[in-house]
Amino acid sequence: MNTIIYKINKGKIDDKYIKKAGEYLKEGKLVSFPTETVYGLGADGLNERAVSNIYKAKGRPSDNPLILHVSKKEDVEKLVENISDIARICIDKFWPGPLTLIFKKSTLIPNIITGGLDTVAIRMPSNEIANKIIEAANTPIAAPSANTSGRPSPTSARHVEEDLLGKVDMIIDGGICDIGLESTVLDTTGKYPVILRPGKITKEELESFFPKVLEDKSILNPKEAPKSPGQKYTHYSPKAKMYLFLGSDEKVARSINKKLTKFKDKKVGILGTDENKDRYNLDGVMFISLGKKKDYDSIAKNLFKSLRKFDSENIEFILSEGFEDSELGNAIMNRMVKASGGNIIYVNEVMED
Ligand code: TXA
Ligand code: MG
């Protein structure tokens, strides 16, 4: 399949390309476009054939449901059975933005969207290009992250090309995604809101509107069975084997340096932070900084890009610093734990020899 690529400048959006993307979606074609979180792989969410092509292009298991994207708050109404008070507050306070809400679905929603569940995930993105494309298509747009299933999500059009060139009809290049991690997924159907996937909208932020916010147990524990179907699959994985080191900066650096001596003949990359760079023995080792240790926005924005960079350099082992799992750090650590396949080294417990 021939993939057309159009570049749209965020500051000066060319409606000609928006219109073209809308037409493609309406015709049942696949269009990848930027959102504020990551790039999405869009199709008409009410067209079953188009949606089935999403699963094919990504190589995604069919029991992993998709998020529907709308361009107006009112568009939710016909897609859901009812809007709970929790959902109403979230729509009011956080849309448009990086918060996906789970509702009881209406009969309009094809089964292929929800993987047979009786609920549906919906969000309204704040990225203006995304919003205009959805509006032009005039239908809810199903859009998972535009990566091959299991790979780190794409935060630039280049990443989408790496995975999906020749497999989608159009890629809209709208620059680098502001946030860099996927939306927070929140179940709004119960007595309390439940975070199924942590993201930019944090538990702490939600707690200023709700007396109690629950979290799915599997978020930071790879052994727990997740409630959100997609969370059970291997995710965000670089080709390299990744080790995640947790503990004080000094001990992490010491453990990483020790590991480096074991991997002497291998291609090794260190994923770290500005402050700690000088602690590592970087002779013959590739180092990528995610930013400053406390600058979670920068770390989130750079994480997937860095994992893909290691892949493009054929790195075999990634040794990574970890982060505190409060606020946005929680979403960062959720992705890192999965990217490492649960390969975590707690350095404070490592015996010194
Ligand atoms: O930021 C994002 O959410 C991006 C952009 C493109 O909008 N999209 C995205 O989609 O991350 P995807 O398909 O990669 O992840 C959707 C997540 C999966 O973990 C899936 O299991 C969960 O949402 N999900 C979808 N429908 C659900 C449902 N009815 N109940 C529980 N989880 C659901
Ligand atoms: Mg995804």
Side-chain angles (χ1 to χ4, degrees):
M1 169 194 298
N2 181 32
T3 305
I4 301 178
I5 304 176
Y6 290 134
K7 210 175 168 68
I8 299 187
N9 186 335
K10 252 193 251 184
K12 197 169 154 273
I13 295 177
D14 190 334
D15 284 332
K16 187 166 77 238
Y17 298 138
I18 298 282
K19 201 167 149 240
K20 194 84 193 153
E23 280 166 15
Y24 261 48
L25 287 164
K26 208 60 210 164
E27 288 164 17
K29 293 182 172 149
L30 299 183
V31 177
S32 175
F33 57 86
T35 80
E36 69 278 22
T37 57
V38 300
Y39 271 73
L41 168 53
D44 179 349
L46 302 181
N47 176 337
E48 293 195 38
R49 193 186 47 77
V51 175
S52 75
N53 286 335
I54 290 184
Y55 285 93
K56 274 191 216 130
K58 276 184 64 94
R60 176 171 173 127
S62 60
D63 68 341
N64 187 1
L66 302 173
I67 298 172
L68 287 179
H69 296 65
V70 297
S71 64
K72 287 186 288 302
K73 294 182 180 182
E74 311 84 87
D75 289 349
V76 166
E77 271 151 44
K78 61 178 188 303
L79 304 175
V80 305
E81 199 183 275
N82 74 305
I83 302 177
S84 66
D85 289 346
I86 293 173
R88 237 177 244 295
I89 292 171
C90 288
I91 291 172
D92 191 40
K93 302 291 175 195
F94 295 102
W95 279 13
L99 181 66
T100 294
L101 302 174
I102 307 290
F103 303 85
K104 287 270 179 242
K105 71 170 190 176
S106 79
T107 50
L108 205 66
I109 313 277
N111 262 329
I112 188 163
I113 291 287
T114 61
L117 298 174
D118 63 349
T119 53
V120 60
I122 306 179
R123 93 174 183 99
M124 176 181 172
S126 60
N127 179 296
E128 216 185 322
I129 296 174
N131 218 282
K132 282 181 170 246
I133 289 175
I134 300 161
E135 196 178 6
N138 194 27
T139 179
I141 298 298
S145 49
N147 51 285
T148 301
S149 195
R151 299 257 304 134
S153 298
T155 57
S156 72
R158 260 262 320 283
H159 299 159
V160 180
E161 285 178 47
E162 277 171 18
D163 285 14
L164 297 177
L165 199 68
K167 295 182 177 173
V168 298
D169 298 284
M170 186 185 287
I171 298 174
I172 297 291
D173 179 352
I176 291 168
C177 300
D178 287 336
I179 296 169
L181 294 183
E182 307 83 349
S183 61
T184 306
V185 176
L186 191 76
D187 186 355
T188 67
T189 61
K191 184 165 177 214
Y192 300 109
V194 186
I195 298 176
L196 304 183
R197 176 176 72 182
K200 173 72 178 165
I201 305 298
T202 62
K203 180 166 190 274
E204 290 81 355
E205 269 175 274
L206 290 163
E207 276 165 352
S208 54
F209 301 101
F210 302 105
K212 197 163 167 178
V213 177
L214 306 175
E215 275 173 303
D216 191 44
K217 285 197 294 296
S218 71
I219 283 175
L220 284 178
N221 183 352
K223 293 197 184 80
E224 292 282 349
K227 239 190 109 186
S228 180
Q231 297 282 300
K232 74 171 179 263
Y233 294 106
T234 317
H235 248 101
Y236 323 116
S237 308
K239 290 177 189 140
K241 179 166 174 139
M242 176 163 156
Y243 293 86
L244 184 56
F245 291 77
L246 302 183
S248 70
D249 287 352
E250 206 194 318
K251 283 191 175 164
V252 163
R254 216 184 312 149
S255 286
I256 286 183
N257 284 333
K258 209 165 137 195
K259 199 85 168 165
L260 284 177
T261 61
K262 287 200 186 127
F263 287 155
K264 243 189 349 270
D265 306 320
K266 306 285 184 201
K267 288 196 78 172
V268 183
I270 295 180
L271 190 56
T273 47
D274 291 355
E275 292 90 329
N276 290 329
K277 180 172 183 191
D278 292 340
R279 295 180 192 262
Y280 301 114
N281 302 330
L282 291 179
D283 199 19
V285 172
M286 184 173 168
F287 177 84
I288 298 181
S289 175
L290 291 168
K292 291 208 163 54
K293 188 103 196 172
K294 296 279 175 210
D295 186 353
Y296 289 155
D297 285 334
S298 142
I299 295 162
K301 193 166 176 170
N302 291 324
L303 178 60
F304 290 145
K305 177 173 101 182
S306 306
L307 295 177
R308 281 179 177 265
K309 178 74 183 161
F310 283 131
D311 277 353
S312 68
E313 301 288 329
N314 297 314
I315 292 294
E316 297 164 277
F317 296 94
I318 299 171
L319 309 180
S320 179
E321 293 177 26
F323 299 89
E324 275 177 38
D325 64 8
S326 60
E327 303 190 26
L328 186 54
N330 187 246
I332 292 166
M333 285 304 290
N334 166 265
R335 305 314 190 268
M336 287 189 131
V337 166
K338 286 189 197 296
S340 69
N343 238 331
I344 304 170
I345 298 171
Y346 297 93
V347 296
N348 295 339
E349 294 164 14
V350 172
M351 295 292 227
E352 300 292 329
D353 59 9

